[in-house]
Coordinates of all heavy atoms in Angstrom, one line a residue:
D81 N 2.7 -3.8 -2.9 CA 3.9 -4.1 -2.2 C 4.2 -5.7 -2.4 O 5.4 -6.1 -2.6 CB 3.8 -3.8 -0.8 CG 3.7 -2.3 -0.6 OD1 4.0 -1.5 -1.6 OD2 3.3 -1.8 0.5
D82 N 3.1 -6.4 -2.2 CA 3.2 -7.9 -2.3 C 3.6 -8.3 -3.6 O 4.5 -9.2 -3.8 CB 1.9 -8.5 -1.8 CG 2.0 -10.0 -2.1 OD1 2.7 -10.7 -1.5 OD2 0.8 -10.5 -2.9
L83 N 3.0 -7.8 -4.8 CA 3.4 -8.2 -6.1 C 4.9 -7.8 -6.4 O 5.5 -8.5 -7.3 CB 2.5 -7.5 -7.0 CG 1.1 -8.0 -7.0 CD1 0.3 -7.2 -7.9 CD2 1.0 -9.6 -7.5
G84 N 5.4 -6.7 -5.8 CA 6.7 -6.3 -5.9 C 7.8 -7.4 -5.4 O 9.0 -7.3 -5.6
L85 N 7.3 -8.2 -4.4 CA 8.2 -9.3 -3.8 C 7.9 -10.6 -4.3 O 8.8 -11.3 -4.3 CB 7.8 -9.2 -2.2 CG 8.2 -8.2 -1.4 CD1 7.7 -8.2 0.0 CD2 9.8 -8.1 -1.3
T86 N 6.6 -10.9 -4.7 CA 6.3 -12.2 -5.1 C 5.7 -12.5 -6.5 O 5.6 -13.5 -7.0 CB 5.2 -12.8 -4.2 OG1 4.0 -12.0 -4.2 CG2 5.9 -12.8 -2.7
G87 N 5.3 -11.2 -7.2 CA 4.7 -11.3 -8.6 C 5.5 -11.7 -9.6 O 6.9 -11.9 -9.6
D88 N 4.8 -12.0 -10.7 CA 5.6 -12.4 -12.0 C 5.8 -11.1 -12.8 O 4.9 -10.4 -13.1 CB 4.7 -13.3 -12.8 CG 5.4 -13.8 -14.2 OD1 6.2 -13.2 -14.5 OD2 4.8 -14.9 -14.6
E89 N 7.0 -10.7 -13.1 CA 7.4 -9.6 -13.8 C 6.8 -9.5 -15.1 O 6.3 -8.3 -15.6 CB 9.0 -9.5 -13.9 CG 9.7 -9.3 -12.9 CD 11.1 -9.2 -13.0 OE1 11.6 -9.5 -14.2 OE2 12.0 -8.8 -12.1
T92 N 3.0 -8.4 -14.1 CA 2.9 -7.2 -13.4 C 3.4 -6.0 -14.1 O 3.0 -4.9 -13.9 CB 3.5 -7.2 -12.0 OG1 5.0 -7.4 -12.1 CG2 3.0 -8.3 -11.1
K94 N 6.2 -4.9 -13.4 CA 7.0 -4.2 -12.4 C 8.2 -5.2 -12.0 O 8.0 -6.4 -11.9 CB 6.2 -4.1 -11.2 CG 6.8 -3.3 -10.0 CD 5.9 -3.2 -8.8 CE 6.7 -2.5 -7.7 NZ 5.8 -2.2 -6.5
Q95 N 9.4 -4.5 -12.1 CA 10.6 -5.4 -11.7 C 10.5 -5.9 -10.3 O 10.3 -5.2 -9.3 CB 11.7 -4.5 -11.9 CG 13.2 -5.2 -11.7 CD 14.4 -4.4 -11.7 OE1 14.3 -3.2 -11.8 NE2 15.6 -5.0 -11.8
L96 N 10.8 -7.3 -10.2 CA 10.7 -7.9 -8.9 C 11.7 -7.3 -8.1 O 12.9 -7.2 -8.5 CB 10.8 -9.4 -9.1 CG 10.5 -10.3 -8.0 CD1 9.0 -10.3 -7.6 CD2 10.9 -11.8 -8.3
G97 N 11.4 -7.0 -6.9 CA 12.5 -6.3 -5.9 C 12.8 -4.8 -6.2 O 13.6 -4.3 -5.4
S98 N 12.0 -4.2 -6.9 CA 12.2 -2.8 -7.2 C 12.0 -1.9 -6.0 O 12.8 -1.0 -5.7 CB 11.3 -2.2 -8.3 OG 10.0 -2.4 -7.9
D99 N 11.0 -2.2 -5.1 CA 11.0 -1.6 -3.7 C 12.1 -1.9 -2.8 O 12.4 -1.0 -2.1 CB 9.7 -2.1 -3.1 CG 8.3 -1.5 -3.8 OD1 8.5 -0.7 -4.7 OD2 7.3 -2.0 -3.5
I100 N 12.8 -3.1 -3.0 CA 13.9 -3.2 -2.1 C 15.1 -2.4 -2.7 O 15.8 -1.8 -1.8 CB 14.3 -4.8 -2.2 CG1 13.2 -5.7 -1.7 CG2 15.6 -5.1 -1.6 CD1 13.3 -7.2 -2.1
K101 N 15.3 -2.4 -4.0 CA 16.4 -1.4 -4.4 C 16.2 -0.1 -4.0 O 17.1 0.6 -3.8 CB 16.4 -1.7 -6.0 CG 17.4 -0.9 -6.8 CD 17.1 -1.0 -8.3 CE 18.0 0.0 -9.0 NZ 17.7 0.1 -10.3
E102 N 14.9 0.4 -4.2 CA 14.8 1.8 -3.8 C 14.5 2.0 -2.2 O 14.3 3.1 -1.9 CB 13.4 2.3 -4.4 CG 13.6 2.2 -6.0 CD 12.3 2.5 -6.8 OE1 11.4 3.2 -6.2 OE2 12.1 2.1 -7.9
Y108 N 5.7 -4.4 4.7 CA 6.6 -5.6 4.8 C 7.9 -5.3 5.3 O 8.4 -6.0 6.3 CB 6.7 -6.1 3.5 CG 5.4 -6.8 2.9 CD1 4.6 -6.2 1.9 CD2 5.3 -8.3 3.1 CE1 3.5 -6.9 1.6 CE2 4.1 -8.9 2.6 CZ 3.2 -8.2 1.8 OH 2.0 -9.0 1.5
L112 N 9.7 -6.6 8.9 CA 10.9 -7.2 8.8 C 11.8 -6.5 9.8 O 12.4 -7.3 10.6 CB 11.6 -7.1 7.4 CG 11.0 -8.0 6.3 CD1 11.6 -7.7 5.0 CD2 11.6 -9.5 6.7
K123 N 22.1 -8.1 7.5 CA 21.9 -8.7 6.0 C 20.9 -7.8 5.3 O 21.1 -7.5 4.2 CB 21.5 -10.2 6.0 CG 21.4 -10.7 4.6 CD 21.7 -12.1 4.4 CE 21.6 -12.5 2.9 NZ 21.9 -13.8 2.5
L124 N 19.7 -7.4 6.1 CA 18.7 -6.6 5.4 C 19.5 -5.4 5.0 O 19.0 -4.8 4.0 CB 17.6 -6.6 6.2 CG 16.7 -7.9 6.5 CD1 15.7 -7.4 7.6 CD2 16.2 -8.3 5.2
K126 N 22.3 -4.8 3.9 CA 23.1 -4.9 2.9 C 22.3 -5.0 1.6 O 22.9 -4.9 0.5 CB 24.0 -6.2 3.0 CG 25.1 -6.0 4.0 CD 25.9 -7.3 4.1 CE 27.0 -7.0 5.3 NZ 27.8 -8.1 5.5
V127 N 21.0 -5.4 1.7 CA 20.1 -5.5 0.5 C 19.4 -4.4 0.3 O 19.3 -3.8 -0.9 CB 19.3 -6.7 0.8 CG1 18.3 -7.0 -0.5 CG2 20.1 -8.0 0.9
F128 N 18.6 -3.7 1.2 CA 17.7 -2.6 1.0 C 18.4 -1.5 0.7 O 19.4 -0.9 1.4 CB 16.9 -2.4 2.2 CG 15.6 -3.3 2.4 CD1 15.6 -4.5 3.1 CD2 14.5 -3.0 1.7 CE1 14.6 -5.2 3.1 CE2 13.5 -3.7 1.7 CZ 13.4 -5.0 2.5
G129 N 18.2 -0.9 -0.6 CA 18.6 0.4 -0.9 C 20.1 0.3 -1.4 O 20.7 1.5 -1.7
K131 N 21.6 -2.0 -3.9 CA 21.8 -2.5 -5.4 C 20.6 -3.3 -5.8 O 19.7 -3.5 -5.0 CB 23.0 -3.5 -5.3 CG 22.7 -4.7 -4.4 CD 23.9 -5.7 -4.3 CE 23.5 -6.7 -3.2 NZ 23.7 -7.8 -3.1
P132 N 20.5 -3.5 -7.1 CA 19.4 -4.3 -7.4 C 19.5 -5.6 -6.8 O 20.5 -6.3 -6.8 CB 19.6 -4.4 -9.0 CG 20.5 -3.4 -9.4 CD 21.4 -3.1 -8.2
P133 N 18.5 -6.1 -6.1 CA 18.5 -7.5 -5.3 C 18.7 -8.6 -6.2 O 18.1 -8.6 -7.4 CB 17.2 -7.4 -4.6 CG 16.3 -6.6 -5.4 CD 17.1 -5.5 -5.9
S134 N 19.4 -9.6 -6.0 CA 19.5 -10.8 -6.6 C 18.1 -11.5 -6.4 O 17.6 -11.4 -5.4 CB 20.7 -11.6 -6.3 OG 20.6 -12.0 -5.0
L135 N 18.0 -12.7 -7.1 CA 16.9 -13.6 -6.7 C 17.1 -14.2 -5.4 O 16.2 -14.4 -4.7 CB 16.7 -14.7 -7.8 CG 16.1 -14.2 -9.1 CD1 16.1 -15.2 -10.1 CD2 14.7 -13.7 -8.8
Q136 N 18.3 -14.5 -5.1 CA 18.6 -14.9 -3.7 C 18.3 -14.1 -2.6 O 17.8 -14.5 -1.5 CB 20.2 -15.4 -3.7 CG 20.7 -16.1 -2.5 CD 22.1 -16.4 -2.6 OE1 22.8 -16.2 -3.4 NE2 22.5 -17.0 -1.3
D137 N 18.6 -12.8 -2.9 CA 18.3 -11.7 -1.9 C 16.7 -11.7 -1.7 O 16.2 -11.7 -0.6 CB 18.6 -10.4 -2.4 CG 20.2 -10.2 -2.4 OD1 20.9 -10.8 -1.5 OD2 20.6 -9.3 -3.0
I138 N 15.9 -11.8 -2.9 CA 14.5 -11.8 -2.7 C 14.0 -12.9 -2.1 O 13.1 -12.8 -1.3 CB 13.9 -11.6 -4.2 CG1 14.4 -10.1 -4.8 CG2 12.4 -11.7 -4.2 CD1 14.1 -9.9 -6.3
R139 N 14.5 -14.1 -2.4 CA 14.2 -15.3 -1.6 C 14.4 -15.3 -0.1 O 13.6 -15.7 0.7 CB 14.9 -16.5 -2.3 CG 14.3 -17.1 -3.5 CD 14.8 -18.4 -3.8 NE 14.7 -18.7 -5.2 CZ 15.6 -18.4 -6.3 NH1 17.0 -18.4 -5.8 NH2 15.5 -18.7 -7.5
Y140 N 15.6 -14.7 0.3 CA 15.9 -14.5 1.7 C 14.8 -13.7 2.3 O 14.3 -14.1 3.5 CB 17.2 -13.9 1.7 CG 17.6 -13.6 3.1 CD1 18.1 -14.6 4.1 CD2 17.6 -12.2 3.6 CE1 18.3 -14.2 5.3 CE2 18.0 -12.0 5.1 CZ 18.3 -13.0 5.8 OH 18.7 -12.8 7.1
I141 N 14.4 -12.6 1.8 CA 13.4 -11.6 2.3 C 12.1 -12.3 2.4 O 11.5 -12.3 3.4 CB 13.4 -10.4 1.4 CG1 14.7 -9.5 1.8 CG2 12.1 -9.6 1.7 CD1 14.9 -8.4 0.9
N142 N 11.7 -13.0 1.3 CA 10.5 -13.7 1.3 C 10.4 -14.8 2.3 O 9.4 -15.1 3.0 CB 10.1 -14.2 -0.1 CG 9.5 -13.2 -0.9 OD1 8.8 -12.3 -0.5 ND2 9.9 -13.2 -2.3
N143 N 11.5 -15.4 2.5 CA 11.6 -16.5 3.6 C 11.4 -15.9 4.9 O 10.8 -16.5 5.8 CB 12.9 -17.4 3.6 CG 12.8 -18.3 2.4 OD1 11.8 -18.8 1.9 ND2 14.1 -18.7 1.9
L144 N 12.1 -14.7 5.1 CA 12.0 -14.1 6.5 C 10.5 -13.7 6.7 O 9.9 -13.8 7.8 CB 12.7 -12.9 6.6 CG 14.2 -13.1 6.9 CD1 15.0 -11.7 6.9 CD2 14.6 -13.8 8.0
I145 N 9.8 -13.2 5.6 CA 8.4 -12.8 5.7 C 7.6 -13.9 6.1 O 6.6 -13.8 7.0 CB 8.0 -12.2 4.3 CG1 8.7 -10.8 4.1 CG2 6.5 -12.1 4.2 CD1 8.5 -10.0 2.9
K146 N 7.9 -15.1 5.5 CA 7.1 -16.3 6.0 C 7.5 -16.8 7.4 O 6.5 -17.1 8.1 CB 7.4 -17.4 4.9 CG 6.6 -17.2 3.7 CD 6.8 -18.5 2.7 CE 6.1 -18.2 1.4 NZ 6.8 -17.8 0.2
N147 N 8.6 -16.8 7.7 CA 9.2 -17.2 8.9 C 8.5 -16.4 10.0 O 8.2 -16.8 11.1 CB 10.6 -17.3 9.1 CG 11.3 -18.4 8.2 OD1 10.5 -19.2 7.7 ND2 12.5 -18.2 8.0
I150 N 4.9 -12.5 8.6 CA 4.5 -11.0 8.2 C 3.3 -11.2 7.1 O 2.5 -10.2 7.1 CB 5.8 -10.3 7.7 CG1 6.7 -10.2 8.7 CG2 5.4 -9.0 7.0 CD1 8.1 -9.7 8.5

Side-chain angles (χ1 to χ4, degrees):
D81 296 345
D82 175 54
L83 291 171
L85 291 168
T86 63
D88 180 344
E89 291 179 352
T92 65
K94 180 178 180 176
Q95 183 183 9
L96 195 62
S98 60
D99 289 348
I100 297 167
K101 177 184 170 188
E102 295 173 24
Y108 284 96
L112 275 171
K123 180 154 184 175
L124 290 172
K126 290 179 182 176
V127 176
F128 276 95
K131 59 183 171 138
S134 67
L135 282 176
Q136 185 179 354
D137 293 332
I138 295 168
R139 278 192 206 107
Y140 175 75
I141 288 169
N142 281 323
N143 284 334
L144 286 179
I145 287 169
K146 285 186 179 105
N147 292 343
I150 294 167

